[in-house]
C-alpha cells in the first residue's frame, strides 16, 4: 500500500495529520503495512515552486497507487489568473492526468445530527444517506472548442458540453455497482428536455441498466432534482450526474447534511488508482486554530482503503467508529449542540482512533 499525501492549504495539513494517525491505528488493528510520500500542492506549491501542481508532485503521484488529498486555496492566491489559482491549477489537471473520471460524493445526514441540517427535521426524521456519482473528466469542463474571441460587437465566449458513448458507459457502470452495495436505486439527473447530450446519457443509461436488473432506476431533470433535494432527500440513493450538474448538486446535497466537515469523496480512474479528498474546502477562516472537523479527511482514508487497497473491513471499521463517536455526543465546533462533549481536531481524531482500537 503506497500512497501520496498532498495536504495543501488551510485546514488541509492539520486534518491530514489526524487522518494519518487514524490510518496508523487501523493498520495495526487490521494487520497491514503501508508507506506514504508527501508532496506539495496548491497555494503551498505556488509559494515554494511557482506552480499549483509542480512536476515533481505529479511524479510522486505516479509512483504511488493512490493520492490522499487535503484541500487547496485561500485568499492569498485569489488574485492570480483563474487558471493558476490553487483549485483550478491543481485539481483539474490532476483529474485529467490520472483519468479520474468517477467522482463519488457520499452524503450522510446522521440521525444524531438532524438538527445541524438546514432541512426541517419533520422532512428528514431519520436523516438521509445518498451518493452523488459525478462524471469528472468530460462534459462542459473540458469540451472543445473552449475560449474567448473578439467579435465586431465585443467578445464571444464558448464552452462545449460534449459526451461520447464510452465516457457515459463507464460512469454508468460505477453508479450501478455502487448502488448494488447500497439501496439498489439510481436516479439519472439530466436536462433531457433541452440538451442533446442528456438524450445520449438517457439512451446509454437505459442500455447499461439492463445489465443490472436488480437495480431500480429513475430519471429526473436537474432543476427538479435541485428542488427534490430540499423537499424529500430520502428518495435518493445514487444520483448519477454529468460533470457540471454533479458539481452543483453535490454542494447542495453536502449543505443539506449540515456540515461540510463530514463529507469525503473519491475520484476514481480505471483500475484501482484514486484520489481521495474531503468535499469541503480549505476553510481559511479557521485554519491553524486546531478546531476543524477532521472527519471528512478520516472518511477519505476509509474510501481509499476500500477502493484503492481492497480493505473493506478496515474502511467499515473507520466508518463505524465515526458514527459511534457522533452518537456519543463528541463534537467539533461545526456540529456542536447543547449538551455535547466539545473537542478540537486532535480530540476528535483520538476519539475515533480509540473507538477503532
Ligand atoms: C469541486 C470544485 C471544483 C470543480 C473547482 C474548484 C474547479 O468545485 O471539486 O467540486 O468545479 O470541480
Ligand atoms: Mg464544486
Amino acid at each position: 500500500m503506497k500512497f501520496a499525501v498532498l495536504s495543501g492549504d488551510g485546514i488541509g495539513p492539520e486534518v491530514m495529520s489526524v487522518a494519518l494517525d487514524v490510518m496508523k491505528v487501523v493498520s495495526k488493528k487490521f494487520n497491514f503495512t503501508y508507506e506514504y510520500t508527501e508532496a506539495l500542492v496548491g497555494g503551498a506549491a505556488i509559494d515554494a515552486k511557482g506552480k499549483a501542481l509542480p512536476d515533481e508532485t505529479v511524479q510522486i503521484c505516479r509512483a504511488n497507487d493512490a493520492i490522499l488529498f487535503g484541500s487547496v486555496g485561500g485568499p492569498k492566491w485569489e488574485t492570480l489568473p483563474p487558471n493558476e489559482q490553487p483549485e483550478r491549477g491543481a485539481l483539474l489537471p490532476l483529474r485529467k492526468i490520472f483519468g479520474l473520471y468517477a467522482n463519488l460524493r457520499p452524503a450522510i445526514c446522521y440521525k444524531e445530527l438532524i438538527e445541524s441540517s438546514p432541512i426541517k427535521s419533520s422532512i428528514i426524521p431519520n436523516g438521509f444517506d445518498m451518493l452523488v456519482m459525478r462524471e469528472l473528466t468530460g462534459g462542459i469542463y473540458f469540451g472543445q472548442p473552449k475560449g474567448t474571441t473578439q467579435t465586431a460587437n465585443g467578445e464571444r465566449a464558448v464552452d462545449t458540453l460534449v459526451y461520447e458513448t464510452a465516457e457515459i458507459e463507464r460512469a454508468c457502470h460505477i453508479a450501478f455497482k455502487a448502488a448494488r452495495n447500497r439501496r439498489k436505486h439510481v436516479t439519472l439527473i439530466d436536462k433531457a428536455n433541452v440538451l442533446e447530450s442528456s438524450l445520449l446519457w438517457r439512451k446509454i443509461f437505459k442500455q447499461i441498466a439492463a445489465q443490472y436488473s436488480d437495480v431500480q432506476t429513475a430519471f429526473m431533470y436537474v432543476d427538479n432534482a435541485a428542488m427534490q433535494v430540499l423537499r424529500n432527500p430520502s428518495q435518493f440513493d445514487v444520483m448519477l450526474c454529468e460533470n457540471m450538474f454533479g458539481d452543483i448538486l453535490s454542494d447542495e446535497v453536502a449543505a443539506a447534511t449540515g456540515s461540510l466537515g463530514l463529507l469525503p469523496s473519491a475520484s476514481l480512474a480505471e483500475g484501482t488508482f484514486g484520489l481521495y479528498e474531503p468535499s469541503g474546502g480549505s476553510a481559511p477562516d479557521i485554519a491553524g486554530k486546531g478546531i476543524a472537523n477532521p472527519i471528512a479527511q478520516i472518511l477519505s482514508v476509509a474510501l481509499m482503503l476500500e477502493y484503492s487497497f481492497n480493505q473493506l473491513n478496515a474502511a467499515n471499521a473507520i466508518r463505524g467508529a465515526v458514527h459511534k463517536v457522533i452518537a456519543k455526543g463528541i463534537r467539533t465546533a461545526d456540529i456542536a449542540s447543547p449538551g455535547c462533549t466539545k473537542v478540537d481536531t486532535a480530540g476528535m481524531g483520538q476519539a475515533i482512533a480509540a473507538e477503532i482500537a
Side-chain angles (χ1 to χ4, degrees), residues 87-88 91-92 95 103 105 134 136 141 243 246-247 250-251 277 279:
E87 295 90 339
R88 270 176 74 176
L91 281 174
L92 297 187
R95 290 172 188 169
N103 182 215
R105 297 186 171 184
R134 168 188 176 193
L136 201 59
Y141 272 58
N243 201 343
D247 176 46
S250 62
D251 265 24
E277 65 174 324
S279 285

Side-chain angles (χ1 to χ4, degrees), residues 134-135 138-141 161 163 241-249:
R134 168 188 176 193
E135 199 290 327
I140 201 161
Y141 272 58
L161 204 187
Y163 274 104
C241 310
E242 65 88 45
N243 201 343
M244 189 164 68
F245 296 162
D247 176 46
I248 298 167
L249 282 184

Side-chain angles (χ1 to χ4, degrees), residues 320-339:
V322 165
H323 195 175
K324 264 205 190 123
V325 165
I326 289 173
K328 280 184 177 167
I330 299 173
R331 304 282 154 82
T332 41
D334 56 317
I335 49 174
S337 59

Side-chain angles (χ1 to χ4, degrees), residues 209-290:
Q211 300 169 36
Y212 298 85
S213 54
D214 53 325
V215 178
Q216 306 266 303
T217 58
F219 300 87
M220 195 178 282
Y221 298 143
V222 61
D223 47 350
N224 184 25
M227 183 168 71
Q228 293 300 327
V229 165
L230 300 182
R231 283 207 166 151
N232 179 16
S234 319
Q235 74 186 283
F236 297 110
D237 180 19
V238 177
M239 299 172 97
L240 172 60
C241 310
E242 65 88 45
N243 201 343
M244 189 164 68
F245 296 162
D247 176 46
I248 298 167
L249 282 184
S250 62
D251 265 24
E252 189 195 12
V253 165
T257 67
S259 173
L260 277 179
L262 297 173
L263 304 180
S265 77
S267 303
L268 309 176
E270 309 272 10
T272 58
F273 192 90
L275 179 150
Y276 304 87
E277 65 174 324
S279 285
S282 57
D285 51 321
I286 56 164
K289 296 186 178 158

Side-chain angles (χ1 to χ4, degrees), residues 169 173 176 180 204-214:
E169 280 174 351
H173 281 295
F176 280 105
R180 274 193 168 153
I204 291 168
F205 178 85
K206 284 177 188 161
Q207 287 165 5
I208 305 291
Q211 300 169 36
Y212 298 85
S213 54
D214 53 325

